[in-house]
Amino acid sequence: MSSAPSSLPAPLDLLTAVRERRTVDLTRLKPDPIPHAVLLTLLEAANWAPTHGRTEPWRFVVFTGEGRMRLAEVLAGSLVRLKGEEQPDPEVLRTQQARQRLAPVWIAVAAEPAEQPRMPLHEEQWAVACAVQTLMLAARSLGIASKWITNAPSLHPHTREALGFGERASMMGLVYLGYPQGEWPSGERRPIEDKVRWVEGAARGGTAGGAG
């Protein structure tokens, strides 16, 4: 990855960023814009996610400023289709616009396989998931909060088409970014020991037994 611009704050070390990445609610974000150079740094980090066959299937559309209202229109249109209605309710659009304004940056994410794909779709989608996680970790390292949304409107075919993703693409949701208000939120995890089994040394008696 290329070095970060000198204007960026010193990033957290990787393990600290992993432990301290948090989902922050829209209502707890500052309206402050995120500099373009910072967004490029985050996207460049995502671009180095693992990708089987080096297909690099991640695709992003970044919405900032009044561009966020375009995303609001698209999502309102997807909500209409989900409800089986023909025309959007103006109140639905206003609500969606207000929601989009709560975060200074929204990123639409899709997985787009090659025209003649060498890898199954699920592997391409997993690669994109790795790219999103990498982006969110890079964001935390620079003091930026994030959330990955995969609700029905964000995954709807109308959203994919309206945002200009190709026919082969599959929507992977939306990520919003913003600086959090107040102190950085804390989090908890159950002990890793409760979630791991170790297999060490040579197997005896043929196959290993199942979990007890």
Side-chain angles (χ1 to χ4, degrees):
M1 175 179 171
S2 59
S3 59
S6 59
S7 60
L8 296 181
L12 297 176
D13 67 88
L14 176 59
L15 292 180
T16 300
V18 169
R19 288 193 303 270
E20 294 190 359
R21 181 212 55 78
R22 291 290 173 272
T23 292
V24 177
D25 190 78
L26 281 169
T27 59
R28 296 191 58 209
L29 296 179
K30 296 179 180 178
D32 306 30
I34 299 175
H36 187 74
V38 174
L39 294 176
L40 282 177
T41 297
L42 303 185
L43 293 165
E44 176 68 11
N47 197 39
W48 285 93
T51 164
H52 192 188
R54 301 180 182 177
T55 57
E56 303 177 31
W58 39 82
R59 299 293 184 270
F60 305 105
V61 179
V62 182
F63 300 88
T64 63
E66 287 305 304
R68 295 171 295 174
M69 298 304 96
R70 171 56 181 157
L71 177 60
E73 292 173 2
V74 170
L75 294 175
S78 293
L79 281 167
V80 167
R81 287 161 174 79
L82 284 166
K83 295 177 180 179
E85 300 173 356
E86 295 184 359
Q87 296 295 328
D89 183 338
E91 184 59 31
V92 170
L93 178 57
R94 284 192 292 269
T95 299
Q96 197 66 47
Q97 290 172 333
R99 177 177 172 81
Q100 256 65 71
R101 290 191 188 281
L102 290 175
V105 178
W106 291 79
I107 303 176
V109 185
E112 187 167 314
E115 187 172 348
Q116 296 182 337
R118 294 179 291 142
M119 302 299 163
L121 178 60
H122 68 265
E123 291 206 23
E124 304 288 60
Q125 293 173 331
W126 292 346
V128 175
C130 289
V132 171
Q133 172 74 345
T134 302
L135 186 151
M136 293 193 299
L137 291 178
R140 173 60 193 104
S141 76
L142 297 176
I144 298 169
S146 63
K147 184 175 182 178
W148 185 4
I149 298 170
T150 55
N151 57 17
S154 70
L155 301 179
H156 198 277
H158 172 259
T159 300
R160 174 186 61 77
E161 295 169 5
L163 295 183
F165 292 114
E167 292 183 1
R168 298 185 305 277
S170 56
M171 289 301 302
M172 297 288 287
L174 304 167
V175 175
Y176 66 66
L177 302 171
Y179 296 104
Q181 300 177 16
E183 296 183 1
W184 191 267
S186 61
E188 295 182 359
R189 288 292 188 271
R190 298 188 304 278
I192 187 60
E193 290 81 3
D194 296 345
K195 307 166 188 175
V196 178
R197 291 186 296 119
W198 298 88
V199 180
E200 299 176 328
R204 296 181 181 179
T207 60

